[in-house]
Amino acid sequence: MPARLPSWAWVTGLTTGAIAAVAVLAVQADQGPKPTASTSRPSASATADAKPSAEPKERGTGTESESESEAVPADSGTGRRIVYSLDDQQVWLVDASDAPRRSFEVWPGTVDPDPGTYTIGTRTEATTGSDGVEVEHIIYFAAKSGVSIAFSNAVDGSSPPPPDGRTTGGIRVGKADGKALWTFGTPGTTVRVVE
């Protein structure tokens, strides 16, 4: 009769395997292409499991009223949170009193997170994307179809469109907005995604 492994050995083996799988996925996410921010708008390409993003709505020169661009979406929850509107391609940093502290436009990749409530987990200060663009302030908050979804900004402020045929989950923000998001979006911060 073959010897049986003790239960602690099975648990240790399974835990080690799970940690290795998470580490591999994290490395793949860090090495994947990440979108960047600029005044040009990338076009979204469709993939089998990706929902293409629409072109961002045109915004004025900062003179619009709060109801037009600064108002936090009504269905975005309460309390301190980051709100991301898929339709408006806009982010709001909302304080504990439900007042918006900053609002800015973003440039999504090809995979959008589903509407819902998420929590910031992993953050990476800086890395180089597989497209060769140096990115910083990478804040991961969701995954969909095996693609990690995160906010980030290009170190040089550029915004090339995602490479054709690539599936990307990076939501690129402007350089100053990336710094503000990094300061506000500490681990455990709520991210509310709305249509």
Side-chain angles (χ1 to χ4, degrees):
M1 175 177 202
R4 288 179 41 122
L5 287 175
S7 61
W8 63 266
W10 283 103
V11 171
T12 301
L14 290 173
T15 302
T16 302
I19 290 171
V22 169
V24 167
L25 291 174
V27 168
Q28 287 176 344
D30 275 348
Q31 293 176 350
K34 310 226 180 2
T36 57
S38 80
T39 56
S40 64
R41 304 292 183 258
S43 61
S45 58
T47 62
D49 18 36
K51 176 178 123 186
S53 301
E55 288 293 319
K57 295 179 180 180
E58 288 301 315
R59 289 175 182 51
T61 58
T63 59
E64 38 303 87
S65 70
E66 181 171 303
S67 63
E68 290 178 45
S69 71
E70 304 269 340
V72 179
D75 58 348
S76 67
T78 59
R80 187 177 187 280
R81 65 199 182 278
I82 297 168
V83 178
Y84 173 36
S85 170
L86 298 169
D87 291 344
D88 292 335
Q89 296 184 1
Q90 178 119 354
V91 165
W92 291 261
L93 306 183
V94 184
D95 69 17
S97 69
D98 286 325
R101 292 295 164 208
R102 189 179 187 108
S103 175
F104 48 90
E105 190 175 79
V106 299
W107 296 266
T110 59
V111 178
D112 286 332
D114 291 324
T117 303
Y118 302 89
T119 302
I120 292 174
T122 304
R123 295 177 2 136
T124 302
E125 194 165 341
T127 190
T128 300
S130 62
D131 57 359
V133 175
E134 292 182 39
V135 292
E136 62 185 351
H137 305 129
I138 305 109
I139 300 175
Y140 297 94
F141 68 91
K144 182 176 177 182
S145 303
V147 177
S148 294
I149 299 175
F151 297 111
S152 67
N153 67 272
V155 172
D156 66 2
S158 64
S159 180
D164 288 339
R166 296 263 181 108
T167 302
T168 63
I171 302 163
R172 194 55 53 84
V173 305
K175 191 167 176 71
D177 297 323
K179 185 174 181 181
L181 189 56
W182 180 261
T183 301
F184 187 89
T186 55
T189 300
T190 297
V191 178
R192 179 78 173 130
V193 178
V194 298
E195 290 287 344

